Amino acid sequence: MLSARAAAASQSHAASLWKRGGGDAGGGSGCTSCMEVRRRAASVAVRAAPPKRVEAVAMESAAETAHSDKEVALTDGAADEDGPPEEELPVTPWAFSVASGYTLLRDPHHNKGLAFSEKERDAHYLRGLLPPAVVSQELQVKKIMHDLRQYKVPLQRYVAMMDLQERNERLFYKLLIDNVEELLPVVYTPTVGEACQKYGSIFRRPQGLYVSLRDKGKVLEVLRNWPERNIQVIVVTDGERILGLGDLGCQGMGIPVGKLSLYTALGGVRPSACLPITIDVGTNNEKLLNDEFYIGIRQRRATGEEYHELMEEFMDAVKHIYGEKVLIQFEDFANHNAFDLLAKYSKSHLVFNDDIQGTASVVLAGLLSSLKVVGGTLAEHTYLFLGAGEAGTGIAELIALEISKQTNAPIEECRKKIWLVDSKGLIVNSRKDSLQPFKKSWAHEHEPLTTLLDAVESIKPTVLIGTSGVGRTFTKEVVEAMASFNERPIIFSLSNPTSHSECTAEEAYNWTQGRAVFASGSPFDPVEYNGKTYVPGQSNNAYIFPGFGLGVVISGATRVHEDMLLAASETLAEQATQENFDKGSIFPPFTNIRKISAQIAASVAAKAYELGLATRLPRPRDLEKYAESCMYTPIYRSYR
Ligand SMILES: NC(=O)C1=CN([C@@H]2O[C@H](COP(=O)(O)OP(=O)(O)OC[C@H]3O[C@@H](n4cnc5c(N)ncnc54)[C@H](OP(=O)(O)O)[C@@H]3O)[C@@H](O)[C@H]2O)C=CC1
Ligand SMILES: CC(=O)C(=O)O
Ligand SMILES: [Mg+2]
């Protein structure tokens, strides 16, 4: 075991090598004392007080954009990575490791597989542990894409991607970034939904933290077991509403893991700064309770005080360990908890709910773009939702807020343009007493109606949005009715995964003779209709949360404010071009997402500064450039 002092010496020495950069004859592996420390430290984990230099190196890293030729110290953790700058570290124990040889090949953060150069193989005891060929990262990407395309079953691709992430993190992210349109449906919706359903069967190694009822009273210890210290974004779920698939209990873990891989690939947040967490309070899913491969606690869900005590202990522990400025994204909680958790913890923590707020932001962006195709202002349109839960009421509220800002009308008036249908029918005044609190402000004066078709025919919306979680509920009759009184009906089928989409892209175009302005939550392939190819847009919060999170992190924002979500919407809406519209999409393609995320980050950060919520001072002059400079890039480092 290496002493804490030796470890700190190794670190500060390594940092100075890092700063000197490549070409230093005396640096890198040639430095004997550093080599000696490495030799002794191989495959050991050391607990030591965090030295100050970590922050200095990280800041330097954030300010630089060219990465590939940097010489880096082979230390674990944030210091050798790009990504948003870190905060001053609280003085608590933390772990790091220094790896070489066989251990290095098994360390996903530093492993490069066959890409280790001859010199690196000599310097790091890799000779003989690898076959002789040295291949570039580009060739590795080509090979893995070739392998992935051989799989016919999407879940096999998912498993292959997760294997890669656990074997060679930088290659995983390079692959994902370079092939984002092709691989997003693999690591994210729709395949991640199936992965969660079968998570127990495909489980190999834990990819995040599990906090279960059994950990009550010990949540702080659980969090301390996570090997990374400098966490900037947590995505947490309790697995009760996974996409439109319902209660998947502990197996919902696939969602925080998937969302955070997008934080890195799409938004440039360092992988080591991302922490996926699942709160396991049981499941009411009988199929899972009876599944011998289920990985969660085998009991029905805890509710009430027992549930809230665990959540409170968890939220306190997060703040205690990671400080005030870790962004906590609530994901896929059921609505009977989601709204209350958001209301409660947004007062004390840096939190947002992706399903309520992230979704609202992306859909508002889609609507602002649609207006450029359809005409009119937000206030001149009439909106009808199928589904009045987190996504539906979250989107509705942000639309009302934007209308109110644009027209100066009171928000109560603006809400009257927006109607929602839930499982019992149109939400109307006569139902007010029996409605959940989050539905009450949408109970307008109208006769009761029980079917969507009746609501469409009576309200005559210009915009129809599906957030019900139930597939094929936008029937031919419903879509044709929309097309009968709208020249360009706006139809968004947002429910995930694909099988739960309210209608398919093909149905939307066929039933409206190609006139629909359509977007969906999960991707659909391009559709041929009447000699024209339509490329439907994907209205998914994945456009927003990576850039939003980056903006929060780089500004050091202490709270999420709704104006930051509006800023993100407006910025995203500006990125859709006439070329996108001509092809039938109101969103820019995901191929541009890193640039878009930097722009969203800049506008979110600018808003945080304007609102006095940002703590990173002085404010960078060019926020977009600063955001870009902070983004993690997965190009291999040179370990000479
Ligand atoms: N594209 C994207 O980025 C996002 C998509 N989503 C998707 O949206 C869907 C809903 O999510 P969320 O809002 O969180 O879920 P909730 O459970 O909070 O809300 C679902 C709503 O749909 C209503 N509903 C259910 N069945 C029917 C039906 N047959 N007819 C009419 N209404 C029905 C429910 O009614 P009642 O209240 O009466 O039970 C409820 O109001 C999911 O599929 C999810 O994947 C969510 C977030 C982001
Ligand atoms: C996309 C997403 O967050 C959902 O479907 O829940
Ligand atoms: Mg979600």
Side-chain angles (χ1 to χ4, degrees), residues 396-591:
E397 186 64 15
L398 204 66
I399 296 172
L401 196 69
E402 180 70 10
I403 295 177
S404 173
K405 279 191 191 275
Q406 288 182 3
T407 60
N408 285 326
I411 188 138
E412 295 76 18
E413 280 306 305
C414 303
R415 289 191 186 119
K416 291 184 179 156
K417 305 286 299 175
I418 305 171
W419 298 83
L420 292 97
V421 171
D422 65 10
S423 65
K424 297 188 178 65
L426 189 65
I427 295 183
V428 291
N429 239 332
S430 55
R431 292 179 55 196
K432 202 159 186 171
D433 290 345
S434 58
L435 292 172
Q436 292 113 299
F438 54 86
K439 290 179 184 167
K440 285 192 193 290
S441 34
W442 306 103
H444 308 318
E445 206 54 65
H446 198 285
E447 62 169 322
L449 296 173
T450 47
T451 72
L452 176 64
L453 184 58
D454 285 348
V456 167
E457 284 172 342
S458 174
I459 308 276
K460 298 207 171 5
T462 53
V463 179
L464 178 65
I465 300 181
T467 52
S468 63
V470 185
R472 306 301 177 268
T473 35
F474 290 174
T475 58
K476 189 161 187 275
E477 291 71 29
V478 165
V479 174
E480 282 179 350
M482 284 294 291
S484 70
F485 47 79
N486 289 299
E487 181 51 35
R488 300 295 310 269
I490 298 174
I491 300 177
F492 292 173
S493 297
L494 300 183
S495 292
N496 298 314
T498 319
S499 54
H500 291 240
S501 186
E502 281 78 7
C503 68
T504 66
E506 195 172 10
E507 288 167 344
Y509 295 123
N510 282 347
W511 294 339
T512 62
Q513 300 81 45
R515 288 185 283 126
V517 175
F518 178 77
S520 56
S522 296
F524 281 106
D525 287 337
V527 173
E528 283 276 322
Y529 179 81
N530 223 1
K532 185 176 169 188
T533 303
Y534 295 81
V535 183
Q538 191 181 345
S539 185
N540 192 295
N541 47 36
Y543 270 111
I544 293 290
F545 65 77
F548 186 83
L550 181 66
V552 167
V553 169
I554 63 169
S555 61
T558 50
R559 290 288 181 273
V560 169
H561 189 284
E562 57 205 8
D563 284 355
M564 289 154 71
L565 294 157
L566 289 176
S569 297
E570 283 157 16
T571 304
L572 176 59
E574 283 159 19
Q575 307 312 311
T577 62
Q578 189 58 45
E579 196 192 336
N580 305 141
F581 300 149
D582 291 345
K583 286 185 186 156
S585 177
I586 43 158
F587 289 99
F590 268 110
T591 38

Side-chain angles (χ1 to χ4, degrees), residues 52-130:
K52 284 269 188 219
R53 70 97 196 157
V54 172
E55 189 183 23
V57 173
M59 292 300 288
E60 190 174 80
S61 150
E64 294 188 38
T65 48
H67 308 280
S68 54
D69 57 353
K70 270 187 209 158
E71 184 159 338
V72 295
L74 207 52
T75 53
D76 196 16
D80 68 334
E81 290 186 58
D82 307 313
E86 294 162 55
E87 289 304 309
E88 180 113 3
L89 297 169
V91 185
T92 48
W94 64 300
F96 73 94
S97 62
V98 181
S100 68
Y102 193 75
T103 315
L104 175 55
L105 294 182
R106 297 243 163 337
D107 172 357
H109 307 302
H110 299 107
N111 179 29
K112 302 200 278 185
L114 292 185
F116 281 110
S117 68
E118 297 284 352
K119 281 186 179 165
E120 288 170 333
R121 292 176 192 211
D122 279 334
H124 299 294
Y125 310 93
L126 298 171
R127 283 238 162 255
L129 299 183
L130 291 164

